[in-house]
Amino acid sequence: MAAVQYFIERFSVTCNKPMSHLQLACCSSHCALPWQDKSIRIYENNNLEPPLELTGHHGDVSAMVIGTVRDRLVLCSASEDYVIVWDIDRCYRRIREGVSASGTVVGTLLGKVEHLSLCPQSARLAACSGSRVFLLNAEREDVLGVLKAHLGPVTASEFCPWDVNLLISISEDRTFKIWDVKKGDILFESAVLSAYPLLSLFFLEQSSQFITGSGDGQLWCYTLPVDHKCRLVTKLDLSKLEQKYERNHRKTSSPQNSPDGMIGNEVRGTVETTKPVLKIWAQKLHSSHASLQQRTSCVWIGSSDGLYLLDLDTSELLMILPLKGIISDLSISMAGSWAVTNGLGGNMCCLVTSLFGTSVTLLEVNSAGLDELCFRMAMGFSVDEQLSVVPSSPLMTMSPLNAELAKHGRKPQKKIGVSCQKSVKDQALVFHTQVKSSGYNTAPHRTMFRPKTSVKKKSNSASATSTNTKGLLSEYPSHLEAPSMPYAHITVSTTPTPVSSLQFSGNGKQIACGLGDGSVLLYNSSLTSNPAVYTGHSKAVNTVCWSHSKQWFLSTSEDPTLCIWSPNASEPVLTMGDDQFAKPIRSAQFYYLDKFLLLASGSNLMLYLYHLDTTRDDIKRYKQRSKCKLTSKFNMKSGTDITSMSAINDFYSYIVLAAGADRTIQVFDMNQGCMATQIPDAHCRAVHLLTQNKGSAFCTQALESYNLFLSSAITDGLKLWDLRTARCVRRYESHVNRCHHCTAAFSPCGRFIATGSEDHSAYIFDTRSSSFLHKLPRHSETVLNVAFNPANPELLTGTLDGKLALFHPAESLLP
């Protein structure tokens, strides 16, 4: 037996026949189950003897639910002959008085009822029988309506907790439907979701979402907006989540110090099969660990082999509580159905039927044991030392960031044997070809000097005011909504050319645009003038990046070359060629307030010091006077190639993020000159995007916000991470990203995230929610790149066929 029992078996009864797929009833104080087919037994959870036995059905009881009607605790039971509502307190009182307990018949001859659901606010009861849903009055016999549209038997239906006039039904036809129960109309109908029937349904009231699960372990989470146009938030596979959980568990825990000693292949002992989602239930995770207390999107999934705790925000499996392997004396090892409720003291009560036997067991999940398991699990995934993008200590003496580039001046003239004076040759006194006239041959001045008194003096305050109002010092309007209204649209080339990279300058006045043909275009922020064209690459441009001073921007290519440009010159100020890099430069940027160039090529992360000189020798125009010097080189721990990189340049920061082809994200501390931590298996495929919440000079955020960063991988959505815990805090999957490297970006205020998509749209998410706020459609091709203006609420998108589109918030267009 394990040191901590996570399941406490309260009682177990043996029925006269299997009840594996019947809907049982359970609440915090009572639980109910069929007894001898036609009778019902009600148990008190804390006082199990003797049970209350109810008789009244003439057929086999097939479904039950416990709820409240007019503040009365009631049990609703259904068979082929009747649907009966029992007042539990009244039944107990009549039994004590020596009178047989009775209930109220609210439905007659509805057929075999598979599922019952009760709406406490409206006192309505939904009974699922065959392909129909009967709406009943929970206080008297009255059929309020019949909902008929499913092509197969309805497996479950639930009333919406925040809108009593909405009901969602799921069916063996693998679809769900949203009904208006007053009118009996279908408000929304889904497509076929799976090859297996949908079995369970649950509403998430806090986020206005609902989640449904199928017989093959698939989960779908949808939003339920006011217009009833449901949007898919995330789709999950329970078996794949379990495999990933076990891989992480084996990496972070050895068998001897495993927190529960039961999660592993040695416990399963059988070939993994599909895991039906039999029950979904939400309960706040009680834990003394701060990072786990903040998880408000956790749901319990009841399957045939145990309970799974899932965080919907991160699509992460937090823990597994199998029925077999924790303790050896459970009466049930495989579950056929679950009835779950919040119990007393933070515990969770589960009424479980055996899948192959005739047992029914009441289990209580020990909250104290879960708290200990949560704490040890969080400690197992936490980093050794909490990292932060904002520095908390000064530079170390031996830090690579202390490197300086030696200044090269003119060499002094050497003295060889003779004095310096003798080495100077005789020269004429006048070195210029023209000498200014002394004025002896000009006519004398007739008028004296007269000062100009009519010139108006320029006011310094006025100039300062105009500067503030025109953008340099104006505050970013973070109160506005996300940009969603199209404002401008242009084509960058006469032939379709992918827009491979986009970035606004720090003042938001210029846009650098890298193209797939190797050229770089420079636009003004409104896209109203012809762009300046910079050609220096022979292959597609990978990256464009502005310096913090806004005087330079760089571009990298598959050549592999790196060029640094001045907006006022058509030739690069500095060119680093393929003789310096064995592999293409996947990512490059200015770093540490423009002191360094940070490059990623192959498996190397390189720091270059540089000096830019714009002067040119007319005779030796081919020779550049700018210099660069490699000062530090860091390698990925596994030796894999770097696929993406990110660092903050707007303020001093020691942290550099690098993603490898082996699906890891490694965090480098440039102050110490080493890798600080790594995140294994960040995605199911190689990460092609890393971007941080860098903020803007026009907007101030909380210091903690700068520790957020995004990662993206093909077919694996977009993940939001917190550097302090090195853990995913939210996941975004509404967009489509199956083959192209679509990028994402933070807004300057940190409230929004924009990402490209392959369905010819761009998506805007709120960082606090996994569902998208706006979908920006009508692009002509895949949206590859997105960029926010740091000074104004504008969003720029670039497509695969070379189109740029600019979006403003709706408020800015109002009169």
Side-chain angles (χ1 to χ4, degrees):
M1 184 179 294
V4 180
Q5 294 183 1
Y6 303 104
F7 280 136
I8 301 173
E9 186 171 312
R10 302 290 295 174
F11 76 91
S12 179
V13 296
T14 302
C15 301
N16 62 335
K17 68 177 183 179
M19 298 185 181
S20 58
H21 299 298
L22 295 184
Q23 180 195 10
L24 305 187
C26 185
C27 69
S28 59
S29 57
H30 296 80
C31 61
L33 55 97
W35 184 251
Q36 304 299 331
D37 297 338
K38 301 176 184 180
S39 300
I40 300 171
R41 278 191 173 183
I42 299 179
Y43 293 86
E44 293 186 30
N45 295 343
N46 297 323
N47 183 18
L48 302 177
E49 295 293 341
L52 173 64
E53 190 166 339
L54 305 177
T55 57
H57 288 283
H58 299 288
D60 295 345
V61 177
S62 57
M64 293 182 294
V65 66
I66 293 179
T68 57
V69 175
R70 313 297 183 194
D71 296 328
R72 294 179 290 112
L73 187 65
V74 299
L75 168 68
C76 304
S77 60
S79 62
E80 290 189 2
D81 52 354
Y82 298 130
V83 176
I84 303 176
V85 176
W86 312 81
D87 188 329
I88 295 179
D89 292 335
R90 181 173 177 271
C91 290
Y92 271 108
R93 187 172 58 252
R94 290 179 65 88
I95 291 295
R96 286 194 297 267
E97 294 173 354
V99 183
S100 60
S102 62
T104 303
V105 176
V106 297
T108 305
L109 299 177
L110 302 182
K112 184 179 180 181
V113 177
E114 297 288 345
H115 189 274
L116 288 173
S117 58
L118 183 64
C119 180
Q121 294 90 342
S122 60
R124 281 180 288 197
L125 186 66
C128 303
S129 176
S131 60
R132 299 174 295 176
V133 180
F134 292 90
L135 299 177
L136 308 175
N137 191 319
E139 297 177 308
R140 61 181 182 275
E141 187 173 3
D142 184 13
V143 178
L144 304 177
V146 181
L147 308 179
K148 298 182 292 184
H150 283 288
L151 302 178
V154 180
T155 54
S157 65
E158 297 289 345
F159 288 94
C160 179
W162 60 88
D163 189 348
V164 296
N165 293 320
L166 290 184
L167 180 137
I168 297 182
S169 59
I170 57 175
S171 169
E172 290 186 8
D173 63 9
R174 300 155 294 165
T175 67
F176 69 84
K177 292 176 172 57
I178 302 178
W179 302 84
D180 184 340
V181 295
K182 276 190 173 181
K183 301 178 181 178
D185 298 335
I186 298 177
L187 302 177
F188 184 85
E189 183 176 5
S190 75
V192 174
L193 300 181
S194 172
Y196 287 72
L198 302 181
L199 300 179
S200 54
L201 177 69
F202 187 76
F203 283 95
L204 303 169
E205 188 171 1
Q206 186 174 4
S207 56
S208 298
Q209 298 174 352
F210 67 93
I211 181 172
T212 182
S214 64
D216 60 342
Q218 305 292 320
L219 290 156
W220 294 265
C221 184
Y222 286 89
T223 61
L224 187 54
V226 179
D227 58 1
H228 310 124
K229 295 180 180 179
C230 297
R231 302 171 179 173
L232 178 64
V233 177
T234 183
K235 179 187 175 183
L236 303 171
D237 188 318
L238 195 58
S239 297
K240 292 182 178 179
L241 291 176
E242 183 189 25
Q243 294 171 10
K244 181 180 179 181
Y245 175 86
E246 290 180 350
R247 287 197 305 268
N248 294 336
H249 186 82
R250 286 194 295 268
K251 290 178 182 179
T252 56
S253 301
S254 58
Q256 57 269 19
N257 59 7
S258 176
D260 45 69
M262 47 74 187
I263 309 296
N265 292 335
E266 72 279 2
V267 174
R268 293 289 186 265
T270 57
V271 178
E272 294 292 341
T273 58
T274 57
K275 299 180 182 299
V277 181
L278 303 175
K279 185 67 176 179
I280 306 173
W281 184 263
Q283 184 192 35
K284 186 176 180 181
L285 186 60
H286 296 274
S287 175
S288 58
H289 198 268
S291 63
L292 292 173
Q293 285 179 352
Q294 299 173 358
R295 297 181 184 267
T296 58
S297 58
C298 296
V299 294
W300 288 97
I301 307 297
S303 187
S304 57
D305 59 349
L307 285 176
Y308 296 79
L309 182 61
L310 179 65
D311 189 347
L312 293 177
D313 282 347
T314 63
S315 301
E316 179 183 5
L317 193 60
L318 300 181
M319 67 178 67
I320 305 175
L321 300 182
L323 292 172
K324 184 178 181 180
I326 301 180
I327 55 178
S328 58
D329 55 352
L330 282 182
S331 301
I332 293 178
S333 60
M334 295 292 288
S337 65
W338 292 79
V340 186
T341 185
N342 295 329
L344 301 176
N347 292 356
M348 188 168 62
C349 294
C350 309
L351 191 62
V352 191
T353 63
S354 177
L355 181 61
F356 303 112
T358 59
S359 298
V360 178
T361 302
L362 179 65
L363 301 176
E364 187 174 355
V365 181
N366 185 7
S367 62
L370 284 181
D371 182 83
E372 180 67 19
L373 178 59
C374 289
F375 180 78
R376 282 188 281 183
M377 180 193 67
M379 293 303 294
F381 284 97
S382 63
V383 295
D384 296 333
E385 182 180 355
Q386 193 175 77
L387 300 173
S388 177
V389 168
V390 181
S392 58
S393 60
L395 278 177
M396 301 173 63
T397 305
M398 303 302 293
S399 172
L401 301 178
N402 280 323
E404 295 291 342
L405 189 64
K407 297 182 179 179
H408 299 280
R410 291 187 178 182
K411 295 182 179 180
Q413 194 172 9
K414 295 182 179 180
K415 302 177 182 179
I416 307 176
V418 295
S419 64
C420 184
Q421 294 180 354
K422 293 183 179 180
S423 66
V424 178
K425 297 180 179 180
D426 294 335
Q427 295 182 4
L429 292 175
V430 180
F431 301 95
H432 305 287
T433 57
Q434 294 182 356
V435 181
K436 186 178 180 181
S437 172
S438 60
Y440 290 111
N441 294 331
T442 60
H445 292 286
R446 296 294 182 183
T447 57
M448 300 296 290
F449 168 75
R450 293 181 181 178
K452 296 181 179 181
T453 59
S454 60
V455 178
K456 295 182 179 179
K457 295 182 179 180
K458 294 182 179 180
S459 173
N460 294 332
S461 61
S463 62
T465 303
S466 62
T467 304
N468 289 339
T469 57
K470 292 187 177 180
L472 280 181
L473 300 176
S474 59
E475 187 176 356
Y476 183 89
S478 56
H479 63 280
L480 293 179
E481 292 298 322
S484 59
M485 302 297 294
Y487 175 74
H489 185 275
I490 63 170
T491 303
V492 299
S493 177
T494 55
T495 58
T497 304
V499 178
S500 55
S501 186
L502 284 175
Q503 192 182 47
F504 278 90
S505 60
N507 56 11
K509 293 185 176 181
Q510 292 177 300
I511 301 168
C513 176
L515 302 182
D517 59 3
S519 62
V520 180
L521 307 182
L522 192 64
Y523 289 91
N524 61 10
S525 60
S526 58
L527 303 178
T528 54
S529 61
N530 293 327
V533 183
Y534 303 85
T535 55
H537 300 290
S538 60
K539 293 184 179 180
V541 175
N542 288 332
T543 309
V544 293
C545 179
W546 282 92
S547 66
H548 178 71
S549 63
K550 298 160 302 270
Q551 296 179 355
W552 322 99
F553 65 92
L554 64 80
S555 59
T556 64
S557 172
E558 294 283 336
D559 303 348
T561 57
L562 179 145
C563 296
I564 297 181
W565 310 83
S566 170
N568 303 321
S570 59
E571 296 181 359
V573 181
L574 174 65
T575 301
M576 302 170 67
D578 54 1
D579 57 335
Q580 297 171 267
F581 310 107
K583 294 185 178 181
I585 304 171
R586 292 301 173 193
S587 184
Q589 67 169 80
F590 294 93
Y591 175 57
Y592 211 64
L593 287 179
D594 296 347
K595 181 179 179 180
F596 296 96
L597 294 177
L598 184 63
L599 286 75
S601 176
S603 61
N604 298 320
L605 195 64
M606 294 170 280
L607 271 181
Y608 279 87
L609 285 170
Y610 66 99
H611 171 70
L612 301 180
D613 190 348
T614 57
T615 60
R616 292 278 184 176
D617 191 335
D618 292 338
I619 297 177
K620 300 180 180 180
R621 293 185 58 85
Y622 65 90
K623 187 176 181 180
Q624 62 182 9
R625 297 191 176 186
S626 301
K627 305 292 181 180
C628 64
K629 178 184 177 182
L630 178 64
T631 61
S632 300
K633 182 186 289 188
F634 306 90
N635 293 324
M636 297 289 283
K637 185 177 180 180
S638 58
T640 184
D641 285 353
I642 297 176
T643 56
S644 184
M645 176 200 69
S646 178
I648 290 181
N649 186 44
D650 292 337
F651 55 84
Y652 290 116
S653 176
Y654 306 148
I655 299 299
V656 175
L657 306 176
D662 59 352
R663 301 173 297 166
T664 63
I665 298 177
Q666 299 187 18
V667 182
F668 290 87
D669 187 344
M670 292 300 176
N671 188 22
Q672 299 182 6
C674 64
M675 189 192 74
T677 187
Q678 71 171 347
I679 304 172
D681 295 325
H683 286 269
C684 65
R685 294 194 179 187
V687 177
H688 67 258
L689 167 76
L690 281 177
T691 184
Q692 294 172 267
N693 182 20
K694 301 179 181 180
S696 167
F698 302 88
C699 188
T700 303
Q701 299 185 35
L703 293 181
E704 294 80 8
S705 301
Y706 295 104
N707 291 305
L708 299 177
F709 67 93
L710 290 170
S711 67
S712 181
I714 291 175
T715 70
D716 201 26
L718 193 65
K719 287 186 177 182
L720 180 66
W721 302 81
D722 191 336
L723 179 64
R724 295 166 295 177
T725 58
R727 300 199 68 173
C728 176
V729 294
R730 196 169 293 279
R731 188 169 180 172
Y732 308 92
E733 296 182 285
S734 300
H735 61 294
V736 181
N737 191 8
R738 299 191 182 101
C739 59
H740 294 289
H741 290 179
C742 299
T743 65
F746 282 97
S747 64
C749 59
R751 294 170 53 204
F752 308 113
I753 293 171
T755 181
S757 178
E758 295 174 13
D759 58 353
H760 300 187
S761 303
Y763 288 78
I764 298 180
F765 297 92
D766 192 319
T767 55
R768 300 162 296 180
S769 174
S770 298
S771 59
F772 65 90
L773 290 175
H774 302 289
K775 180 181 179 181
L776 312 181
R778 300 180 183 177
H779 290 80
S780 55
E781 250 294 351
T782 297
V783 180
L784 288 180
N785 282 278
V786 293
F788 280 99
N789 190 324
N792 299 303
E794 297 175 343
L795 175 67
L796 182 67
T797 61
T799 62
L800 185 62
D801 59 349
K803 304 289 179 61
L804 295 179
L806 192 63
F807 295 86
H808 283 183
E811 288 84 346
S812 64
L813 301 180
L814 297 176

